[in-house]
Amino acid sequence: MRYQVKPEAYGEALSEVYDRMYPSMETPQTVDFIVSLLDPGARVVEFGAGTGRIAIPLAGKGFDVHAVEVSQPMLDKLREHDPLGAVTAVRADFAEHVIDGDFDLCYIVCNTLFMLPDPEQQIEALRRAGAHLRPGGTLLVEVYDPTYFHQLAKPEFQVRNLASDQVMIDTISVDPVNQVLAQVHTTIKAGSVSTFTEISRYAWPSELDLMARIAGFEMVERHGDWERSPFVSGSHRHITLYRKSAAGL
Ligand SMILES: C[S@@+](CC[C@H](N)C(=O)[O-])C[C@H]1O[C@@H](n2cnc3c(N)ncnc32)[C@H](O)[C@@H]1O
């Protein structure tokens, strides 16, 4: 079975609540980690930059930050948070677009690579990442480890508090054959209800490394969190660095 996903749909459905969906997200730790990889003034591009959670603070530290984002409502929020335009944002699908080939780092965080619904598109996005990078440039990918979800026997529920009169109920189910996790976000606000289904095509760490190799990268290091704890059995996600291999694409 092939899953169809309209890339703009996520932002159209969730841009209003996105900044409140992940209150415990480790933004300062993520920014510090990325800064530790960069020389002053480095050129950086984020795939799926959303409302600028990471891109804006990075630009504030003097880096030349570019953002590729497919959703206009998400870009509008990014601009609201960054009225002086410190981040250079372009509206495009990161599986189809290349700005230029001179970036030091491309990063794809918060499971965004998995939003592409099949492995071919994910490999294509990794190729595009390589096309953005100078020789020896770095690709950073943060995604969840699928182990826990892959064996879900029945749907799981999570509830988030978005505001005093607004909650989001997430119903998570898995199609293990196609390695697809479907997350139905049901938002209830003062009696009105909306739903949006987010599709996430997950890959195993070794599979991701293979896809990256196909796209012209070598795996350099993998961590279990932004503090560089080791990635071990039971880690919920990983942060992996790849280097654009000498042979290029
Ligand atoms: C989970 S959010 C992460 C946003 C941001 N990176 C962060 O960490 O807060 C994923 C973002 O990727 C965008 N996105 C999803 N698929 C995309 C694609 N194919 N091309 C460009 N942007 C995409 C979505 O619109 C959304 O803004």
mmCIF file of all heavy atoms in Angstrom, residues 43-49 55 64-70 75 78-79 86-107 124-134 244 249:
data_model
loop_
_atom_site.group_PDB
_atom_site.id
_atom_site.type_symbol
_atom_site.label_atom_id
_atom_site.label_comp_id
_atom_site.label_asym_id
_atom_site.label_seq_id
_atom_site.Cartn_x
_atom_site.Cartn_y
_atom_site.Cartn_z
ATOM 1 N N ARG A 43 27.253 28.652 6.864
ATOM 2 C CA ARG A 43 25.984 28.655 6.113
ATOM 3 C C ARG A 43 25.227 27.360 6.428
ATOM 4 O O ARG A 43 25.772 26.259 6.311
ATOM 5 C CB ARG A 43 26.231 28.718 4.607
ATOM 6 C CG ARG A 43 26.941 29.967 4.160
ATOM 7 C CD ARG A 43 26.873 30.064 2.654
ATOM 8 N NE ARG A 43 25.550 30.455 2.199
ATOM 9 C CZ ARG A 43 24.986 30.026 1.069
ATOM 10 N NH1 ARG A 43 25.596 29.164 0.301
ATOM 11 N NH2 ARG A 43 23.788 30.464 0.713
ATOM 12 N N VAL A 44 23.954 27.544 6.788
ATOM 13 C CA VAL A 44 23.165 26.427 7.303
ATOM 14 C C VAL A 44 21.806 26.424 6.617
ATOM 15 O O VAL A 44 21.231 27.488 6.390
ATOM 16 C CB VAL A 44 22.952 26.643 8.826
ATOM 17 C CG1 VAL A 44 22.126 25.543 9.415
ATOM 18 C CG2 VAL A 44 24.283 26.750 9.549
ATOM 19 N N VAL A 45 21.290 25.239 6.315
ATOM 20 C CA VAL A 45 19.932 25.158 5.767
ATOM 21 C C VAL A 45 19.128 24.132 6.555
ATOM 22 O O VAL A 45 19.623 23.056 6.872
ATOM 23 C CB VAL A 45 19.943 24.839 4.241
ATOM 24 C CG1 VAL A 45 20.628 23.515 3.924
ATOM 25 C CG2 VAL A 45 18.524 24.872 3.667
ATOM 26 N N GLU A 46 17.899 24.514 6.908
ATOM 27 C CA GLU A 46 16.991 23.585 7.595
ATOM 28 C C GLU A 46 15.910 23.129 6.623
ATOM 29 O O GLU A 46 15.281 23.939 5.937
ATOM 30 C CB GLU A 46 16.323 24.249 8.810
ATOM 31 C CG GLU A 46 15.315 23.286 9.466
ATOM 32 C CD GLU A 46 14.775 23.733 10.821
ATOM 33 O OE1 GLU A 46 15.091 24.857 11.254
ATOM 34 O OE2 GLU A 46 14.030 22.931 11.434
ATOM 35 N N PHE A 47 15.666 21.827 6.576
ATOM 36 C CA PHE A 47 14.558 21.271 5.795
ATOM 37 C C PHE A 47 13.347 21.143 6.726
ATOM 38 O O PHE A 47 13.432 20.501 7.782
ATOM 39 C CB PHE A 47 14.926 19.877 5.275
ATOM 40 C CG PHE A 47 15.802 19.863 4.041
ATOM 41 C CD1 PHE A 47 16.349 21.024 3.520
ATOM 42 C CD2 PHE A 47 16.068 18.662 3.391
ATOM 43 C CE1 PHE A 47 17.148 20.998 2.379
ATOM 44 C CE2 PHE A 47 16.863 18.613 2.260
ATOM 45 C CZ PHE A 47 17.404 19.780 1.754
ATOM 46 N N GLY A 48 12.224 21.745 6.339
ATOM 47 C CA GLY A 48 11.012 21.681 7.155
ATOM 48 C C GLY A 48 11.165 22.526 8.407
ATOM 49 O O GLY A 48 11.052 22.046 9.530
ATOM 50 N N ALA A 49 11.382 23.818 8.217
ATOM 51 C CA ALA A 49 11.758 24.704 9.334
ATOM 52 C C ALA A 49 10.585 25.101 10.209
ATOM 53 O O ALA A 49 10.781 25.665 11.291
ATOM 54 C CB ALA A 49 12.441 25.951 8.785
ATOM 55 N N ALA A 55 15.637 27.620 13.605
ATOM 56 C CA ALA A 55 16.304 28.498 12.623
ATOM 57 C C ALA A 55 16.486 29.916 13.171
ATOM 58 O O ALA A 55 17.548 30.535 12.970
ATOM 59 C CB ALA A 55 15.486 28.526 11.326
ATOM 60 N N ASP A 64 24.443 32.142 8.855
ATOM 61 C CA ASP A 64 23.647 32.467 7.669
ATOM 62 C C ASP A 64 22.635 31.334 7.492
ATOM 63 O O ASP A 64 22.966 30.284 6.935
ATOM 64 C CB ASP A 64 24.607 32.572 6.472
ATOM 65 C CG ASP A 64 23.884 32.872 5.177
ATOM 66 O OD1 ASP A 64 22.685 33.228 5.231
ATOM 67 O OD2 ASP A 64 24.509 32.735 4.110
ATOM 68 N N VAL A 65 21.438 31.534 8.012
ATOM 69 C CA VAL A 65 20.466 30.435 8.109
ATOM 70 C C VAL A 65 19.387 30.551 7.027
ATOM 71 O O VAL A 65 18.721 31.595 6.907
ATOM 72 C CB VAL A 65 19.799 30.404 9.501
ATOM 73 C CG1 VAL A 65 18.831 29.237 9.605
ATOM 74 C CG2 VAL A 65 20.853 30.304 10.594
ATOM 75 N N HIS A 66 19.213 29.456 6.288
ATOM 76 C CA HIS A 66 18.168 29.367 5.271
ATOM 77 C C HIS A 66 17.160 28.301 5.698
ATOM 78 O O HIS A 66 17.539 27.306 6.335
ATOM 79 C CB HIS A 66 18.769 29.002 3.915
ATOM 80 C CG HIS A 66 19.651 30.095 3.367
ATOM 81 N ND1 HIS A 66 19.372 30.763 2.201
ATOM 82 C CD2 HIS A 66 20.780 30.646 3.864
ATOM 83 C CE1 HIS A 66 20.299 31.675 1.992
ATOM 84 N NE2 HIS A 66 21.176 31.633 2.979
ATOM 85 N N ALA A 67 15.909 28.529 5.355
ATOM 86 C CA ALA A 67 14.848 27.606 5.757
ATOM 87 C C ALA A 67 14.057 27.192 4.525
ATOM 88 O O ALA A 67 13.638 28.049 3.738
ATOM 89 C CB ALA A 67 13.916 28.303 6.753
ATOM 90 N N VAL A 68 13.875 25.890 4.357
ATOM 91 C CA VAL A 68 12.997 25.377 3.300
ATOM 92 C C VAL A 68 11.745 24.859 4.003
ATOM 93 O O VAL A 68 11.838 24.000 4.888
ATOM 94 C CB VAL A 68 13.678 24.239 2.506
ATOM 95 C CG1 VAL A 68 12.755 23.751 1.396
ATOM 96 C CG2 VAL A 68 15.017 24.694 1.940
ATOM 97 N N GLU A 69 10.603 25.388 3.624
ATOM 98 C CA GLU A 69 9.347 25.030 4.304
ATOM 99 C C GLU A 69 8.230 25.054 3.268
ATOM 100 O O GLU A 69 8.083 26.021 2.535
ATOM 101 C CB GLU A 69 9.085 26.022 5.452
ATOM 102 C CG GLU A 69 7.732 25.938 6.104
ATOM 103 C CD GLU A 69 7.340 24.562 6.644
ATOM 104 O OE1 GLU A 69 8.081 23.978 7.440
ATOM 105 O OE2 GLU A 69 6.276 24.067 6.218
ATOM 106 N N VAL A 70 7.436 23.997 3.243
ATOM 107 C CA VAL A 70 6.434 23.859 2.186
ATOM 108 C C VAL A 70 5.126 24.586 2.509
ATOM 109 O O VAL A 70 4.332 24.891 1.616
ATOM 110 C CB VAL A 70 6.180 22.351 1.904
ATOM 111 C CG1 VAL A 70 5.329 21.729 2.999
ATOM 112 C CG2 VAL A 70 5.603 22.122 0.537
ATOM 113 N N LEU A 75 5.180 29.310 7.327
ATOM 114 C CA LEU A 75 6.106 30.399 6.977
ATOM 115 C C LEU A 75 5.591 31.738 7.499
ATOM 116 O O LEU A 75 6.385 32.593 7.921
ATOM 117 C CB LEU A 75 6.269 30.481 5.447
ATOM 118 C CG LEU A 75 7.198 29.427 4.843
ATOM 119 C CD1 LEU A 75 7.124 29.478 3.319
ATOM 120 C CD2 LEU A 75 8.637 29.626 5.311
ATOM 121 N N LEU A 78 6.581 31.841 10.991
ATOM 122 C CA LEU A 78 8.032 32.073 11.086
ATOM 123 C C LEU A 78 8.318 33.572 10.918
ATOM 124 O O LEU A 78 9.076 34.171 11.685
ATOM 125 C CB LEU A 78 8.762 31.256 10.017
ATOM 126 C CG LEU A 78 10.287 31.249 10.058
ATOM 127 C CD1 LEU A 78 10.851 29.943 9.458
ATOM 128 C CD2 LEU A 78 10.918 32.413 9.326
ATOM 129 N N ARG A 79 7.656 34.174 9.944
ATOM 130 C CA ARG A 79 7.878 35.612 9.686
ATOM 131 C C ARG A 79 7.390 36.466 10.862
ATOM 132 O O ARG A 79 8.030 37.455 11.225
ATOM 133 C CB ARG A 79 7.179 35.986 8.365
ATOM 134 C CG ARG A 79 7.735 37.155 7.641
ATOM 135 C CD ARG A 79 9.262 37.270 7.646
ATOM 136 N NE ARG A 79 9.952 36.458 6.685
ATOM 137 C CZ ARG A 79 11.142 35.863 6.891
ATOM 138 N NH1 ARG A 79 11.766 35.975 8.052
ATOM 139 N NH2 ARG A 79 11.712 35.146 5.959
ATOM 140 N N ALA A 86 15.812 37.657 9.668
ATOM 141 C CA ALA A 86 17.162 37.127 9.916
ATOM 142 C C ALA A 86 17.340 35.770 9.227
ATOM 143 O O ALA A 86 18.433 35.429 8.792
ATOM 144 C CB ALA A 86 17.395 36.990 11.420
ATOM 145 N N VAL A 87 16.250 35.022 9.114
ATOM 146 C CA VAL A 87 16.283 33.727 8.422
ATOM 147 C C VAL A 87 15.819 33.951 6.984
ATOM 148 O O VAL A 87 14.805 34.618 6.746
ATOM 149 C CB VAL A 87 15.330 32.722 9.113
ATOM 150 C CG1 VAL A 87 15.230 31.421 8.320
ATOM 151 C CG2 VAL A 87 15.782 32.455 10.539
ATOM 152 N N THR A 88 16.571 33.397 6.029
ATOM 153 C CA THR A 88 16.158 33.472 4.623
ATOM 154 C C THR A 88 15.273 32.263 4.346
ATOM 155 O O THR A 88 15.760 31.127 4.354
ATOM 156 C CB THR A 88 17.387 33.427 3.695
ATOM 157 O OG1 THR A 88 18.286 34.451 4.100
ATOM 158 C CG2 THR A 88 16.982 33.622 2.241
ATOM 159 N N ALA A 89 13.987 32.513 4.178
ATOM 160 C CA ALA A 89 13.047 31.386 4.047
ATOM 161 C C ALA A 89 12.549 31.268 2.617
ATOM 162 O O ALA A 89 12.291 32.276 1.946
ATOM 163 C CB ALA A 89 11.873 31.596 4.999
ATOM 164 N N VAL A 90 12.417 30.035 2.170
ATOM 165 C CA VAL A 90 11.868 29.794 0.841
ATOM 166 C C VAL A 90 10.751 28.768 0.974
ATOM 167 O O VAL A 90 10.858 27.826 1.753
ATOM 168 C CB VAL A 90 12.963 29.327 -0.149
ATOM 169 C CG1 VAL A 90 13.673 28.082 0.343
ATOM 170 C CG2 VAL A 90 12.407 29.069 -1.533
ATOM 171 N N ARG A 91 9.677 29.021 0.231
ATOM 172 C CA ARG A 91 8.570 28.054 0.254
ATOM 173 C C ARG A 91 8.821 26.992 -0.810
ATOM 174 O O ARG A 91 8.806 27.293 -2.015
ATOM 175 C CB ARG A 91 7.240 28.766 -0.018
ATOM 176 C CG ARG A 91 6.109 27.786 0.087
ATOM 177 C CD ARG A 91 4.760 28.413 -0.067
ATOM 178 N NE ARG A 91 3.770 27.345 -0.011
ATOM 179 C CZ ARG A 91 2.526 27.461 -0.392
ATOM 180 N NH1 ARG A 91 2.084 28.621 -0.839
ATOM 181 N NH2 ARG A 91 1.711 26.449 -0.313
ATOM 182 N N ALA A 92 9.095 25.776 -0.374
ATOM 183 C CA ALA A 92 9.383 24.692 -1.320
ATOM 184 C C ALA A 92 9.301 23.355 -0.610
ATOM 185 O O ALA A 92 9.369 23.280 0.621
ATOM 186 C CB ALA A 92 10.783 24.864 -1.905
ATOM 187 N N ASP A 93 9.163 22.317 -1.425
ATOM 188 C CA ASP A 93 9.189 20.936 -0.936
ATOM 189 C C ASP A 93 10.650 20.496 -0.890
ATOM 190 O O ASP A 93 11.337 20.529 -1.913
ATOM 191 C CB ASP A 93 8.381 20.073 -1.922
ATOM 192 C CG ASP A 93 8.259 18.631 -1.485
ATOM 193 O OD1 ASP A 93 9.146 18.146 -0.759
ATOM 194 O OD2 ASP A 93 7.283 17.992 -1.902
ATOM 195 N N PHE A 94 11.125 20.082 0.283
ATOM 196 C CA PHE A 94 12.553 19.764 0.378
ATOM 197 C C PHE A 94 12.926 18.476 -0.363
ATOM 198 O O PHE A 94 14.110 18.181 -0.512
ATOM 199 C CB PHE A 94 13.058 19.778 1.828
ATOM 200 C CG PHE A 94 12.408 18.797 2.772
ATOM 201 C CD1 PHE A 94 12.576 17.435 2.614
ATOM 202 C CD2 PHE A 94 11.665 19.256 3.860
ATOM 203 C CE1 PHE A 94 11.998 16.534 3.504
ATOM 204 C CE2 PHE A 94 11.081 18.360 4.753
ATOM 205 C CZ PHE A 94 11.247 17.000 4.567
ATOM 206 N N ALA A 95 11.942 17.703 -0.800
ATOM 207 C CA ALA A 95 12.262 16.533 -1.615
ATOM 208 C C ALA A 95 12.414 16.912 -3.089
ATOM 209 O O ALA A 95 12.723 16.061 -3.925
ATOM 210 C CB ALA A 95 11.190 15.464 -1.453
ATOM 211 N N GLU A 96 12.206 18.196 -3.408
ATOM 212 C CA GLU A 96 12.256 18.602 -4.818
ATOM 213 C C GLU A 96 13.154 19.784 -5.078
ATOM 214 O O GLU A 96 13.415 20.130 -6.227
ATOM 215 C CB GLU A 96 10.836 18.989 -5.296
ATOM 216 C CG GLU A 96 9.875 17.829 -5.299
ATOM 217 C CD GLU A 96 8.482 18.264 -5.747
ATOM 218 O OE1 GLU A 96 8.262 19.490 -5.889
ATOM 219 O OE2 GLU A 96 7.653 17.371 -5.941
ATOM 220 N N HIS A 97 13.615 20.460 -4.018
ATOM 221 C CA HIS A 97 14.198 21.779 -4.186
ATOM 222 C C HIS A 97 15.678 21.800 -3.795
ATOM 223 O O HIS A 97 16.096 21.074 -2.912
ATOM 224 C CB HIS A 97 13.435 22.754 -3.270
ATOM 225 C CG HIS A 97 13.810 24.169 -3.460
ATOM 226 N ND1 HIS A 97 13.350 24.938 -4.499
ATOM 227 C CD2 HIS A 97 14.624 24.973 -2.737
ATOM 228 C CE1 HIS A 97 13.853 26.150 -4.403
ATOM 229 N NE2 HIS A 97 14.633 26.198 -3.340
ATOM 230 N N VAL A 98 16.489 22.634 -4.489
ATOM 231 C CA VAL A 98 17.865 22.880 -4.054
ATOM 232 C C VAL A 98 18.136 24.373 -4.175
ATOM 233 O O VAL A 98 17.852 24.979 -5.216
ATOM 234 C CB VAL A 98 18.888 22.111 -4.930
ATOM 235 C CG1 VAL A 98 20.317 22.457 -4.500
ATOM 236 C CG2 VAL A 98 18.674 20.608 -4.828
ATOM 237 N N ILE A 99 18.654 24.986 -3.098
ATOM 238 C CA ILE A 99 18.963 26.430 -3.151
ATOM 239 C C ILE A 99 20.320 26.630 -3.835
ATOM 240 O O ILE A 99 20.436 27.310 -4.829
ATOM 241 C CB ILE A 99 18.987 27.046 -1.732
ATOM 242 C CG1 ILE A 99 17.636 26.860 -1.040
ATOM 243 C CG2 ILE A 99 19.325 28.538 -1.804
ATOM 244 C CD1 ILE A 99 17.641 27.234 0.447
ATOM 245 N N ASP A 100 21.370 26.067 -3.265
ATOM 246 C CA ASP A 100 22.674 26.036 -3.935
ATOM 247 C C ASP A 100 23.544 25.006 -3.237
ATOM 248 O O ASP A 100 23.096 24.321 -2.304
ATOM 249 C CB ASP A 100 23.337 27.423 -4.005
ATOM 250 C CG ASP A 100 23.786 27.925 -2.646
ATOM 251 O OD1 ASP A 100 24.206 27.120 -1.804
ATOM 252 O OD2 ASP A 100 23.719 29.153 -2.432
ATOM 253 N N GLY A 101 24.772 24.869 -3.666
ATOM 254 C CA GLY A 101 25.586 23.757 -3.192
ATOM 255 C C GLY A 101 26.706 24.163 -2.257
ATOM 256 O O GLY A 101 27.734 23.512 -2.213
ATOM 257 N N ASP A 102 26.508 25.200 -1.489
ATOM 258 C CA ASP A 102 27.635 25.727 -0.726
ATOM 259 C C ASP A 102 27.380 25.774 0.782
ATOM 260 O O ASP A 102 28.026 26.555 1.487
ATOM 261 C CB ASP A 102 27.950 27.129 -1.258
ATOM 262 C CG ASP A 102 29.393 27.501 -0.987
ATOM 263 O OD1 ASP A 102 30.211 26.585 -0.769
ATOM 264 O OD2 ASP A 102 29.688 28.719 -0.941
ATOM 265 N N PHE A 103 26.462 24.983 1.264
ATOM 266 C CA PHE A 103 26.146 25.030 2.701
ATOM 267 C C PHE A 103 27.111 24.131 3.493
ATOM 268 O O PHE A 103 27.600 23.118 2.989
ATOM 269 C CB PHE A 103 24.701 24.596 2.946
ATOM 270 C CG PHE A 103 23.708 25.650 2.549
ATOM 271 C CD1 PHE A 103 23.186 25.696 1.260
ATOM 272 C CD2 PHE A 103 23.300 26.621 3.461
ATOM 273 C CE1 PHE A 103 22.285 26.686 0.878
ATOM 274 C CE2 PHE A 103 22.393 27.608 3.090
ATOM 275 C CZ PHE A 103 21.893 27.641 1.801
ATOM 276 N N ASP A 104 27.372 24.545 4.732
ATOM 277 C CA ASP A 104 28.229 23.749 5.618
ATOM 278 C C ASP A 104 27.434 22.658 6.308
ATOM 279 O O ASP A 104 27.969 21.598 6.631
ATOM 280 C CB ASP A 104 28.847 24.665 6.689
ATOM 281 C CG ASP A 104 29.694 25.753 6.061
ATOM 282 O OD1 ASP A 104 30.731 25.402 5.468
ATOM 283 O OD2 ASP A 104 29.306 26.946 6.129
ATOM 284 N N LEU A 105 26.147 22.948 6.591
ATOM 285 C CA LEU A 105 25.316 21.999 7.340
ATOM 286 C C LEU A 105 23.874 22.059 6.842
ATOM 287 O O LEU A 105 23.334 23.143 6.597
ATOM 288 C CB LEU A 105 25.323 22.377 8.835
ATOM 289 C CG LEU A 105 24.368 21.596 9.724
ATOM 290 C CD1 LEU A 105 24.961 20.243 10.099
ATOM 291 C CD2 LEU A 105 24.034 22.355 11.007
ATOM 292 N N CYS A 106 23.284 20.885 6.705
ATOM 293 C CA CYS A 106 21.830 20.795 6.491
ATOM 294 C C CYS A 106 21.276 20.004 7.668
ATOM 295 O O CYS A 106 21.833 18.968 8.037
ATOM 296 C CB CYS A 106 21.549 20.055 5.183
ATOM 297 S SG CYS A 106 19.790 19.726 4.930
ATOM 298 N N TYR A 107 20.216 20.499 8.298
ATOM 299 C CA TYR A 107 19.643 19.735 9.408
ATOM 300 C C TYR A 107 18.151 19.509 9.202
ATOM 301 O O TYR A 107 17.440 20.364 8.655
ATOM 302 C CB TYR A 107 19.954 20.381 10.768
ATOM 303 C CG TYR A 107 19.358 21.738 11.024
ATOM 304 C CD1 TYR A 107 18.149 21.876 11.712
ATOM 305 C CD2 TYR A 107 20.007 22.895 10.605
ATOM 306 C CE1 TYR A 107 17.605 23.122 11.969
ATOM 307 C CE2 TYR A 107 19.468 24.151 10.858
ATOM 308 C CZ TYR A 107 18.265 24.252 11.540
ATOM 309 O OH TYR A 107 17.718 25.490 11.778
ATOM 310 N N GLU A 124 15.395 10.646 -1.830
ATOM 311 C CA GLU A 124 15.487 11.836 -2.693
ATOM 312 C C GLU A 124 15.741 13.091 -1.851
ATOM 313 O O GLU A 124 16.545 13.948 -2.225
ATOM 314 C CB GLU A 124 14.199 11.982 -3.516
ATOM 315 C CG GLU A 124 14.269 13.023 -4.622
ATOM 316 C CD GLU A 124 15.480 12.870 -5.545
ATOM 317 O OE1 GLU A 124 15.907 11.735 -5.819
ATOM 318 O OE2 GLU A 124 16.017 13.910 -5.977
ATOM 319 N N ALA A 125 15.075 13.179 -0.703
ATOM 320 C CA ALA A 125 15.311 14.342 0.173
ATOM 321 C C ALA A 125 16.763 14.352 0.662
ATOM 322 O O ALA A 125 17.397 15.416 0.738
ATOM 323 C CB ALA A 125 14.358 14.305 1.364
ATOM 324 N N LEU A 126 17.300 13.160 0.981
ATOM 325 C CA LEU A 126 18.700 13.098 1.429
ATOM 326 C C LEU A 126 19.634 13.502 0.284
ATOM 327 O O LEU A 126 20.638 14.197 0.500
ATOM 328 C CB LEU A 126 19.033 11.691 1.946
ATOM 329 C CG LEU A 126 18.228 11.254 3.186
ATOM 330 C CD1 LEU A 126 18.527 9.803 3.547
ATOM 331 C CD2 LEU A 126 18.525 12.157 4.389
ATOM 332 N N ARG A 127 19.295 13.094 -0.942
ATOM 333 C CA ARG A 127 20.099 13.539 -2.105
ATOM 334 C C ARG A 127 20.076 15.056 -2.225
ATOM 335 O O ARG A 127 21.075 15.689 -2.507
ATOM 336 C CB ARG A 127 19.525 12.956 -3.400
ATOM 337 C CG ARG A 127 19.912 11.566 -3.663
ATOM 338 C CD ARG A 127 19.880 11.265 -5.173
ATOM 339 N NE ARG A 127 20.200 9.871 -5.358
ATOM 340 C CZ ARG A 127 19.279 8.903 -5.473
ATOM 341 N NH1 ARG A 127 17.999 9.192 -5.497
ATOM 342 N NH2 ARG A 127 19.658 7.645 -5.600
ATOM 343 N N ARG A 128 18.870 15.639 -2.029
ATOM 344 C CA ARG A 128 18.755 17.115 -2.104
ATOM 345 C C ARG A 128 19.587 17.755 -1.005
ATOM 346 O O ARG A 128 20.200 18.797 -1.217
ATOM 347 C CB ARG A 128 17.300 17.558 -1.942
ATOM 348 C CG ARG A 128 16.361 16.962 -2.954
ATOM 349 C CD ARG A 128 16.421 17.709 -4.245
ATOM 350 N NE ARG A 128 15.832 16.888 -5.291
ATOM 351 C CZ ARG A 128 15.539 17.302 -6.503
ATOM 352 N NH1 ARG A 128 15.781 18.542 -6.850
ATOM 353 N NH2 ARG A 128 15.021 16.497 -7.390
ATOM 354 N N ALA A 129 19.601 17.126 0.162
ATOM 355 C CA ALA A 129 20.439 17.658 1.245
ATOM 356 C C ALA A 129 21.892 17.674 0.790
ATOM 357 O O ALA A 129 22.603 18.674 0.954
ATOM 358 C CB ALA A 129 20.279 16.811 2.511
ATOM 359 N N GLY A 130 22.321 16.562 0.160
ATOM 360 C CA GLY A 130 23.705 16.487 -0.326
ATOM 361 C C GLY A 130 23.986 17.545 -1.376
ATOM 362 O O GLY A 130 25.072 18.136 -1.403
ATOM 363 N N ALA A 131 22.997 17.808 -2.228
ATOM 364 C CA ALA A 131 23.194 18.804 -3.289
ATOM 365 C C ALA A 131 23.341 20.213 -2.710
ATOM 366 O O ALA A 131 23.914 21.096 -3.345
ATOM 367 C CB ALA A 131 22.027 18.740 -4.269
ATOM 368 N N HIS A 132 22.812 20.435 -1.492
ATOM 369 C CA HIS A 132 22.971 21.749 -0.851
ATOM 370 C C HIS A 132 24.366 21.943 -0.263
ATOM 371 O O HIS A 132 24.761 23.066 0.031
ATOM 372 C CB HIS A 132 21.972 21.905 0.313
ATOM 373 C CG HIS A 132 20.593 22.332 -0.108
ATOM 374 N ND1 HIS A 132 19.650 21.445 -0.554
ATOM 375 C CD2 HIS A 132 20.013 23.552 -0.134
ATOM 376 C CE1 HIS A 132 18.539 22.105 -0.839
ATOM 377 N NE2 HIS A 132 18.723 23.384 -0.596
ATOM 378 N N LEU A 133 25.075 20.821 -0.013
ATOM 379 C CA LEU A 133 26.274 20.902 0.833
ATOM 380 C C LEU A 133 27.562 21.019 0.024
ATOM 381 O O LEU A 133 27.707 20.404 -1.039
ATOM 382 C CB LEU A 133 26.356 19.652 1.710
ATOM 383 C CG LEU A 133 25.270 19.519 2.783
ATOM 384 C CD1 LEU A 133 25.353 18.139 3.443
ATOM 385 C CD2 LEU A 133 25.419 20.616 3.837
ATOM 386 N N ARG A 134 28.497 21.746 0.601
ATOM 387 C CA ARG A 134 29.855 21.764 0.048
ATOM 388 C C ARG A 134 30.465 20.379 0.282
ATOM 389 O O ARG A 134 29.994 19.636 1.166
ATOM 390 C CB ARG A 134 30.678 22.857 0.730
ATOM 391 C CG ARG A 134 30.879 22.615 2.210
ATOM 392 C CD ARG A 134 31.931 23.489 2.815
ATOM 393 N NE ARG A 134 31.949 23.400 4.268
ATOM 394 C CZ ARG A 134 32.436 22.379 4.984
ATOM 395 N NH1 ARG A 134 32.945 21.321 4.384
ATOM 396 N NH2 ARG A 134 32.408 22.402 6.303
ATOM 397 N N LYS A 244 28.985 14.367 3.851
ATOM 398 C CA LYS A 244 28.876 14.187 2.400
ATOM 399 C C LYS A 244 30.155 13.510 1.927
ATOM 400 O O LYS A 244 31.253 14.014 2.155
ATOM 401 C CB LYS A 244 28.689 15.545 1.727
ATOM 402 C CG LYS A 244 28.541 15.483 0.226
ATOM 403 C CD LYS A 244 28.139 16.835 -0.319
ATOM 404 C CE LYS A 244 28.280 16.903 -1.808
ATOM 405 N NZ LYS A 244 27.748 18.135 -2.387
ATOM 406 N N LEU A 249 27.479 13.099 -5.013
ATOM 407 C CA LEU A 249 26.203 12.428 -5.288
ATOM 408 C C LEU A 249 26.300 11.436 -6.423
ATOM 409 O O LEU A 249 26.924 11.677 -7.395
ATOM 410 C CB LEU A 249 25.158 13.486 -5.631
ATOM 411 C CG LEU A 249 24.808 14.405 -4.474
ATOM 412 C CD1 LEU A 249 23.845 15.474 -4.926
ATOM 413 C CD2 LEU A 249 24.203 13.618 -3.321
#
